[in-house]
Amino acid sequence: MMTTIKRLIATALIPCMAFAGVPLTAQAAMVSTEQAMVTPAGDAHRDHVSAFFTRADVQTALQAQGVNANDAIERVKAMSDVEVAQLADRVDQAPAGAGVVGILFTVFLVLLVTDILGLTSVFPFTRSIR
């Protein structure tokens, strides 16, 4: 039994040790600042925010504030990926009622945990750990 296990291990280690000495190649190239700053996620956030600024109600609100929508879109294109991601998060939270689902889910989780801990008795489908 022990000799078969040793043979299996030796059979697996022989190719591993043979390929361990094979040199790996690497390639290097110059990367411009523009290429380094642009990521696919940043492009998606920029598209999301730009689509938000092209909505008619948003454009009227911007014009009421004295801002041209095209200027706002150009400024979004000039932002860094981190700034655009933060702005996209704010755009997602902007519609009325969007945060209600998150608040309700949080309240449900708090009540569920307190029910399991035995501090409350809200849900009949839980059992207390006490």
Side-chain angles (χ1 to χ4, degrees):
M1 174 87 174
M2 194 59 138
T3 57
T4 57
I5 293 174
K6 287 181 182 178
R7 285 186 184 179
L8 286 173
I9 292 173
T11 305
L13 285 178
I14 288 171
C16 292
M17 294 302 291
F19 289 117
V22 177
L24 300 175
T25 60
Q27 296 179 357
M30 294 298 293
V31 179
S32 68
T33 304
E34 291 81 21
Q35 291 173 337
M37 295 299 292
V38 175
T39 62
D43 288 341
H45 289 304
R46 277 185 182 77
D47 293 341
H48 180 66
V49 173
S50 296
F52 177 74
F53 282 140
T54 57
R55 287 180 18 194
D57 59 337
V58 174
Q59 286 184 353
T60 56
L62 286 173
Q63 287 175 353
Q65 296 289 328
V67 178
N68 186 1
N70 293 331
D71 291 342
I73 292 172
E74 290 301 318
R75 288 186 183 187
V76 168
K77 289 180 183 177
M79 290 177 152
S80 69
D81 288 344
V82 175
E83 293 170 336
V84 173
Q86 290 173 351
L87 186 58
D89 288 340
R90 288 185 183 171
V91 166
D92 288 339
Q93 295 172 358
V100 174
V101 175
I103 291 171
L104 290 177
F105 184 69
T106 304
V107 169
F108 171 74
L109 284 179
V110 168
L111 289 175
L112 183 67
V113 169
T114 56
D115 238 13
I116 291 172
L117 292 175
L119 301 173
T120 62
S121 179
V122 177
F123 301 113
F125 58 85
T126 61
R127 287 189 330 198
S128 174
I129 60 173
R130 287 186 182 184

